Amino acid sequence: MRRELEFLKELNSAQLEVVKSVEGPLLVIAGAGSGKTRTLTCRMAYLVAQGVSPQKILLLTFTRKAAREMVERAGSLLKIDCSRIMGGTFHSVSQYMLRFYGHLIGYPANFTILDRSDAEDLLHLLRNSLGLAEKKKRFPRKNTLATIHSKLINQKKSLEEVLSKEYPQFLDYFEEIERLFIEYRNYKKEHYLMDYDDLLLNWLEVLKNFPQVREEVGQRFEFLMVDEYQDTNSLQGEIIKYMAERHQNVMVVGDDSQSIYGFRGADYRNIFEFPKIFKNTKIIKLEENYRSTQPILDLANAVISNARIKYTKVLYTKKKEGEKPIVFYARDEAESSKFVADRILELTEKGIKLSQIAVLFRSAFHSFDLEVELAKRDIPFVKFGGMKLLESAHVKDFLSILKISTNPLDFLSWNRVLLLLEGIGPRTAEKIINKLKGSTQLLFDPSTIISQFSSLKELQKFALLLKELQKQGEKTLFEKLSAIWEFYEPIFQRVYYEDYHRREKDIEGLIALSQKYESAEEFLADLALEPVETDEVEKKFDKEEYLTLSTVHSAKGLEWHTVFVISLVDGRFPSSYSINNEEELEEERRLFYVAITRARERLYLIVPTTVYVPGEGKVLAKPSRFLKEIPPSLMKVYSEEKKESPSIKEGAKETQAEFKPGDLVKHPHFGEGEVIEVLDSEKIKVFFPRKGPTILHLKYTHLEKLM
């Protein structure tokens, strides 16, 4: 046993305390870069080493990949197989449990999961069937309706609250939207469909209303561990409360300072409410940072010290040396981009790989100017974001056939497939679907019903395919998908003739992926809950070094040697939407903290003094209010040797002609500013964002006129 627990020697005292705190509720406040993943992994291994059966442990994370990797690491620490530890996301675990307990609330085990695009399509169909699209030109579109509906559930708000706060333009349609949402919920229930939000909502309903389920779940999973608890929403917080009710052996790990997903419904209050829900909660803080140098951490500590509500913690590291974070006040976005590109090239000349450098920003459009500059310099980059594989039309078509064979009541998939077939338009599709709905044979043999439409040859082929797919136990999932592809390929070539060969690889990849699965239900659930990304980006990663451009939200959990944070001006970071809302402004502060703590060795903060505003042109920008809160001693302002610039030491007449209110100028010490008044022949008043209104004597001042 001693040999098996050698890994405990690698832990610091706080991490070791976490690992050995086995019984009862435990809240771990894990600062950025403090080794929380290692701590979680070691705790799982320690539990198993103490005799806890692996299947008695449940690990909840925000990606299934993270859960899988942690379970594998725990096994490697003990040199035994720990794969019986159940790990996954809240959504994947909820769908798994609902396959067993969903019948208690009227769902069979073969219910279908709607991804976001499916949910939007269903709302669109129902909107049309209710006649809302025809009458209301400004009625919300399907994607907006899906967002509104999701907010109602995840934020536990009424429709009136969500519309009033975020969509006041649709308040006039309150009754119609409410009717549509009722129809949407009823339709899903009648046809055994669940969207992502339903997975949490329905699992919580089962837990709340059936004490025997809570008892059984408590017996099955005696130790619960939850990662990234600051990103849970109120539904997830309640699910944990009920799943741990029997034994209270629940450990949650999180950092209130990194709660940045409020727009998705994440509720940072969960981490503060946990000790109130679970009495006698033990709280342990992980404050030793293994990622960044102390000067970077000093800046991060200063930023988060201004947070209104927080678990006070101070990050420290043994890496005391290091450069202070550098602030660069650029003339405009063009100079900002040039500066970033120059520094990147300097870093690569010093041996820092492009893959160890990242440029972070608040919103995707903030990097547009930089992208042009990088392209000019032939600096390869990848920008994070982009289409998921399952959002592609051809993949949705292909999987809709499998969904029908799994759940014949999935009329959304029926509609999609029927409209692909030759000779079938919207009216014929509706006629066929009405026939299907009215038949008692649908669940047993849908192929018999559609074979009645004998004049439609492609539909007849589809009937034969369904008959083949419904032969229980005779075909593997791989064989079923291969049969679907054989049927779908000529349709696919017809519909996507322009880029058939590029899209074909996606289908081939899905068929290959299916070999890992025993059932279609499990395969479809995994695809819906953990979407596969198109592999083009990964291929690019393999072939060459690349620079990372990313929103801060997408960068969470990652780290680089050098990080540039651009567009640090009020209205951009923090965003203009948050400036008048205290709670949203607090989340923006946490977002800035996350951006800072991605850097290991070097951090650059870029402040353009002017930004382009559509309709107004270049306007003077105010440096981000978060920068103003930081003690100047923690940062270094970048300055280079002054190039030749027009010296303003001219006579009175020339001075008056040279400057006028509205001119943008650059001062060697105060940076860039705007002339607000010409006082006399030798004096002007200039507003500097870093200093405020300042009177300058032109006889003794070196000014550069910018525009």
Side-chain angles (χ1 to χ4, degrees):
M1 179 62 73
R2 281 182 183 175
R3 265 201 322 277
E4 287 175 353
L5 298 181
E6 284 290 309
F7 61 85
L8 296 181
K9 291 179 181 177
E10 299 172 12
L11 304 176
N12 64 38
S13 57
Q15 291 171 333
L16 188 60
E17 187 182 1
V18 169
V19 168
K20 291 191 170 183
S21 298
V22 172
E23 302 284 340
L26 174 64
L27 170 60
V28 180
I29 304 299
S34 62
K36 74 174 176 63
T37 302
R38 178 172 59 181
T39 308
L40 272 166
T41 303
C42 289
R43 189 173 188 268
M44 276 191 291
Y46 184 77
L47 285 171
V48 174
Q50 296 302 304
V52 176
S53 176
Q55 61 258 44
K56 293 286 187 182
I57 302 170
L58 174 63
L59 171 66
L60 286 163
T61 62
F62 273 80
T63 68
R64 296 183 69 184
K65 182 183 176 186
R68 188 167 58 249
E69 287 176 354
M70 280 192 258
V71 170
E72 285 172 1
R73 274 194 230 170
S76 65
L77 289 175
L78 292 173
K79 297 180 174 53
I80 62 171
D81 180 15
C82 286
S83 61
R84 286 182 301 160
I85 292 176
M86 186 169 179
T89 64
F90 275 89
H91 291 88
S92 66
V93 169
S94 294
Q95 74 83 26
Y96 175 81
M97 300 308 290
L98 285 166
R99 300 288 179 193
F100 293 98
Y101 295 110
H103 66 91
L104 295 170
I105 55 171
Y107 280 92
N110 68 331
F111 63 84
T112 298
I113 299 173
L114 300 176
D115 65 18
R116 173 59 183 241
S117 181
D118 290 333
E120 289 177 5
D121 287 347
L122 178 55
L123 283 163
H124 179 68
L125 284 171
L126 295 174
R127 182 182 64 179
N128 289 346
S129 70
L130 292 171
L132 298 174
E134 299 162 13
K135 298 175 186 175
K136 316 286 183 184
K137 288 184 181 177
R138 292 183 65 248
F139 198 77
R141 293 179 179 175
K142 62 180 184 178
N143 58 333
T144 306
L145 288 166
T147 300
I148 293 170
H149 190 268
S150 189
K151 284 178 183 288
L152 301 185
I153 294 169
N154 287 301
Q155 297 178 9
K156 283 193 169 178
K157 290 181 178 175
S158 69
L159 177 59
E160 190 173 9
E161 282 178 298
V162 172
L163 292 181
S164 298
K165 184 184 175 188
E166 300 183 52
Y167 303 93
Q169 69 272 33
F170 298 133
L171 273 168
D172 289 345
Y173 307 137
F174 173 83
E175 289 181 7
E176 290 95 329
I177 295 171
E178 187 174 49
R179 183 156 57 97
L180 173 61
F181 286 170
I182 291 169
E183 189 74 20
Y184 175 62
R185 290 165 197 156
N186 290 340
Y187 186 98
K188 287 184 294 178
K189 191 74 184 268
E190 287 168 16
H191 299 92
Y192 309 147
L193 306 172
M194 291 192 206
D195 60 27
Y196 289 154
D197 298 325
D198 292 325
L199 295 173
L200 300 181
L201 204 61
N202 289 333
W203 177 227
L204 179 57
E205 185 185 339
V206 170
L207 287 168
K208 264 185 176 177
N209 297 327
F210 297 94
Q212 74 273 24
V213 173
R214 299 200 295 273
E215 184 69 19
E216 285 175 23
V217 169
Q219 286 176 355
R220 180 170 182 177
F221 301 116
E222 291 182 0
F223 293 90
L224 271 60
M225 297 167 68
V226 188
D227 193 14
E228 304 284 11
Y229 196 68
Q230 78 280 347
D231 293 332
T232 54
N233 61 29
S234 55
L235 293 176
Q236 291 161 331
E238 275 199 89
I239 285 170
I240 290 301
K241 178 178 81 173
Y242 288 116
M243 287 185 75
E245 181 182 79
R246 183 176 185 271
H247 46 65
Q248 306 277 294
N249 294 329
V250 55
M251 164 198 179
V252 299
V253 184
D255 182 3
D256 52 296
S257 302
Q258 295 188 72
S259 179
I260 59 173
Y261 295 111
F263 65 96
R264 290 185 192 165
D267 190 348
Y268 73 97
R269 294 180 193 84
N270 278 0
I271 207 163
F272 295 102
E273 293 295 320
F274 184 85
K276 298 175 187 174
I277 294 168
F278 293 96
K279 305 301 179 190
N280 304 315
T281 291
K282 185 176 186 179
I283 300 175
I284 302 173
K285 296 178 185 178
L286 303 182
E287 296 173 291
E288 183 174 352
N289 180 283
Y290 294 91
R291 176 188 300 153
S292 308
T293 60
Q294 194 62 50
I296 291 172
L297 296 181
D298 289 342
L299 189 82
N301 288 331
V303 167
I304 210 64
S305 69
N306 291 292
R308 210 163 32 90
I309 303 171
K310 60 184 178 293
Y311 282 107
T312 302
K313 59 185 173 303
V314 179
L315 297 178
Y316 67 91
T317 181
K318 290 172 182 171
K319 295 190 282 185
K320 301 299 179 188
E321 302 301 317
E323 293 184 18
K324 283 185 181 180
I326 291 171
V327 183
F328 177 63
Y329 291 92
R331 178 184 308 165
D332 51 24
E333 288 179 276
E335 189 178 51
S336 166
S337 300
K338 183 179 179 301
F339 174 83
V340 172
D342 286 344
R343 300 294 80 73
I344 288 168
L345 291 173
E346 283 176 10
L347 287 163
T348 56
E349 284 172 13
K350 291 176 182 176
I352 307 298
K353 292 182 177 180
L354 277 178
S355 58
Q356 287 300 308
I357 305 171
V359 182
L360 306 182
F361 31 86
R362 173 63 182 82
S363 299
F365 74 91
H366 296 166
S367 71
F368 289 169
D369 188 274
L370 176 61
E371 290 171 49
V372 174
E373 183 67 25
L374 294 172
K376 283 181 193 170
R377 309 281 192 102
D378 289 324
I379 299 174
F381 66 88
V382 172
K383 185 173 179 180
F384 281 86
M387 183 172 277
K388 302 277 194 302
L389 179 64
L390 294 196
E391 292 169 356
S392 309
H394 59 293
V395 172
K396 292 187 75 64
D397 295 344
F398 180 69
L399 290 178
S400 289
I401 300 172
L402 182 64
K403 287 180 180 180
I404 290 170
S405 73
T406 306
N407 176 12
L409 288 177
D410 184 354
F411 294 116
L412 198 61
S413 291
W414 273 106
N415 188 66
R416 185 175 195 101
V417 172
L418 289 172
L419 290 175
L420 290 170
L421 306 182
E422 277 189 322
I424 299 180
R427 286 186 180 178
T428 307
E430 187 178 1
K431 187 178 175 184
I432 294 169
I433 288 171
N434 286 336
K435 273 271 188 191
L436 293 165
K437 286 179 178 177
S439 172
T440 55
Q441 287 295 306
L442 179 57
L443 282 170
F444 310 104
D445 189 10
S447 61
T448 306
I449 304 161
I450 59 175
S451 61
Q452 295 171 24
F453 298 84
S454 55
S455 61
L456 300 168
K457 290 182 181 176
E458 226 167 44
L459 184 61
Q460 292 310 304
K461 288 181 183 175
F462 184 53
L464 291 172
L465 173 68
L466 283 182
K467 205 169 190 69
E468 189 182 343
L469 293 175
Q470 288 197 309
K471 291 175 182 174
Q472 292 295 326
E474 291 184 17
K475 287 185 180 291
T476 64
L477 176 60
F478 176 82
E479 288 169 338
K480 285 182 179 180
L481 287 179
S482 299
I484 290 172
W485 177 231
E486 190 179 334
F487 165 78
Y488 177 57
E489 189 175 14
I491 300 169
F492 173 72
Q493 290 182 20
R494 183 176 73 233
V495 175
Y496 303 105
Y497 64 95
E498 289 181 349
D499 55 356
Y500 162 78
H501 292 294
R502 182 180 64 79
R503 291 175 182 256
E504 187 178 26
K505 289 181 173 58
D506 295 335
I507 304 291
E508 290 170 354
L510 277 178
I511 295 173
L513 182 67
S514 72
Q515 293 181 84
K516 293 196 263 180
Y517 294 86
E518 290 183 5
S519 73
E521 288 86 355
E522 186 188 0
F523 177 67
L524 289 169
D526 270 15
L527 288 177
L529 294 165
E530 195 76 5
V532 181
E533 299 283 345
T534 48
D535 60 358
E536 287 177 22
V537 170
E538 288 182 9
K539 284 177 185 171
K540 186 169 184 179
F541 290 178
D542 292 339
K543 287 178 184 174
E544 61 181 330
E545 280 293 309
Y546 60 91
L547 168 74
T548 297
L549 304 187
S550 177
T551 61
V552 184
H553 285 103
S554 296
K556 188 168 177 288
L558 303 174
E559 60 182 73
W560 294 270
H561 175 279
T562 299
V563 168
F564 296 84
V565 186
I566 62 173
S567 278
L568 279 168
V569 296
D570 266 7
R572 289 197 168 185
F573 205 157
S575 76
S576 55
Y577 300 108
S578 67
I579 285 173
N580 297 316
N581 182 306
E582 191 175 10
E583 196 162 295
E584 288 178 13
L585 192 60
E586 285 293 295
E587 181 156 318
E588 294 284 308
R589 185 193 313 284
R590 297 193 293 268
L591 196 62
F592 185 39
Y593 173 84
V594 168
I596 291 166
T597 53
R598 299 311 94 200
R600 291 200 302 266
E601 304 284 340
R602 292 187 184 179
L603 175 66
Y604 290 88
L605 307 172
I606 316 297
V607 186
T609 309
T610 61
V611 293
Y612 178 79
V613 176
E616 296 181 41
K618 277 190 176 181
V619 298
L620 202 64
K622 290 182 179 179
S624 171
R625 62 193 61 201
F626 301 142
L627 279 179
K628 293 179 184 176
E629 296 172 353
I630 301 168
S633 61
L634 298 180
M635 304 179 288
K636 186 165 70 176
V637 177
Y638 184 90
S639 61
E640 43 191 356
E641 287 183 17
K642 294 301 294 179
K643 296 172 184 164
E644 288 296 320
S645 59
S647 180
I648 311 303
K649 298 179 184 176
E650 319 294 344
K653 268 189 184 175
E654 290 172 330
T655 301
Q656 287 283 19
E658 189 72 40
F659 291 106
K660 61 184 184 301
D663 284 348
L664 296 180
V665 296
K666 188 168 185 178
H667 188 276
H669 301 297
F670 305 142
E672 297 180 8
E674 181 180 3
V675 177
I676 53 178
E677 191 178 351
V678 178
L679 299 172
D680 60 32
S681 61
E682 294 184 344
K683 285 183 286 192
I684 61 173
K685 185 184 283 188
V686 180
F687 174 79
F688 294 103
R690 293 155 60 190
K691 189 175 187 296
T694 306
I695 295 174
L696 299 175
H697 200 294
L698 295 174
K699 207 169 185 179
Y700 308 105
T701 302
H702 185 81
L703 276 183
E704 177 187 353
K705 187 175 179 183
L706 300 179
M707 56 182 291

